Amino acid sequence: MAGRDLFVFVALTVISSLIAPKARGNSEGDALYALRRSLSDPDNVLQSWDPNLVNPCTWFHITCNQDNHVTRVDLGNSNLFGHLVPELGKLEHLQYLELYKNNIQGSIPVELGNLKSLISLDLYNNNISGTIPPALGKLKSLVFLRLNDNQLMGPIPSALASISSLKVVDVSNNNLCGTIPTTGPFEHIPLNNFENNPRLEGPELQGLASYDTNCS
């Protein structure tokens, strides 16, 4: 009987060791590892992103606060290919999402609107398509929104005009349509930050032009 108990104990110990890495993971690490799985990384920039670690704070290009919550993802100009993932919306303490100058395709996940602490969203110089999600209007801490030099289409969401903290918006060199908002933070955004969108019709005329004129 004692021998059988020893066998059960050893078996349970082995099983526990096999599942321990997953148990040690956290939601932020899981979210970032989902991003890693969606990206091709020919230069091995993400080689240190080991999902078996307690948290992602020791990974290269990741910054955490004193509570070990992820606050920065710095992967600009890293020769990454692939697409963004909705799991990024789980990084509720994230302040800087820097993915500029890569080869990212696909759309901007609506879930990025859940990043309530986000200060900077830099996705410029990629191949991102689809529309700018109106959900980004929920980012009430956002200061920098740079989406220029992509393949974005559709209107500039009017919800962005409600972000009082917004200081820099650049959506130039896309295929946006409709009109340029002129209220809230957009009063101070230079027009050249909207240039080279052939279907964008200039500043909206309050009461005279519908917001999404000739825009689909």
Side-chain angles (χ1 to χ4, degrees):
M1 194 71 175
R4 180 181 178 186
D5 289 343
L6 178 62
F7 173 80
V8 172
F9 174 78
V10 171
L12 290 174
T13 301
V14 171
I15 292 171
S16 297
S17 68
L18 290 174
I19 66 173
K22 185 174 181 181
R24 290 200 303 268
N26 63 21
S27 60
E28 293 185 334
D30 293 344
L32 289 170
Y33 198 68
L35 176 64
R36 179 186 174 181
R37 290 197 306 270
S38 77
L39 297 173
S40 174
D41 176 26
D43 296 338
N44 291 321
V45 173
L46 306 178
Q47 190 170 19
S48 68
W49 288 30
D50 182 354
N52 295 335
L53 300 179
V54 174
N55 61 55
C57 297
T58 58
W59 298 358
F60 290 163
H61 313 291
I62 298 297
T63 303
C64 293
N65 61 17
Q66 60 186 6
D67 298 318
N68 289 330
H69 289 300
V70 175
T71 57
R72 293 187 67 111
V73 176
D74 289 295
L75 289 171
N77 199 22
S78 296
N79 195 31
L80 298 172
F81 297 75
H83 61 274
L84 303 177
V85 293
E87 288 86 348
L88 288 173
K90 297 177 181 178
L91 302 174
E92 60 181 39
H93 300 276
L94 189 67
Q95 296 179 334
Y96 296 86
L97 182 56
E98 307 296 321
L99 288 164
Y100 55 88
K101 293 185 179 179
N102 284 292
N103 292 284
I104 295 172
Q105 299 178 329
S107 60
I108 299 173
V110 173
E111 289 80 4
L112 295 191
N114 297 330
L115 300 176
K116 60 184 179 181
S117 301
L118 199 66
I119 294 171
S120 177
L121 179 58
D122 281 332
L123 302 177
Y124 60 89
N125 282 101
N126 279 287
N127 292 299
I128 298 171
S129 56
T131 60
I132 301 173
L136 297 187
K138 297 189 296 182
L139 302 177
K140 300 306 181 184
S141 299
L142 196 65
V143 179
F144 305 100
L145 177 62
R146 288 176 280 228
L147 306 175
N148 50 288
D149 295 274
N150 279 290
Q151 306 295 326
L152 292 166
M153 53 195 305
I156 300 170
S158 57
L160 297 178
S162 68
I163 306 176
S164 59
S165 57
L166 202 54
K167 302 296 183 187
V168 175
V169 177
D170 195 338
V171 293
S172 59
N173 299 298
N174 280 286
N175 192 31
L176 299 173
C177 57
T179 52
I180 300 171
T182 57
T183 59
F186 286 89
E187 293 181 22
H188 308 292
I189 306 298
L191 286 177
N192 59 0
N193 287 19
F194 303 94
E195 67 185 5
N196 295 325
N197 285 280
R199 300 178 60 213
L200 203 57
E201 299 185 0
E204 66 177 324
L205 303 174
Q206 294 293 332
L208 298 178
S210 60
Y211 186 78
D212 57 349
T213 301
N214 193 31
C215 184
S216 61

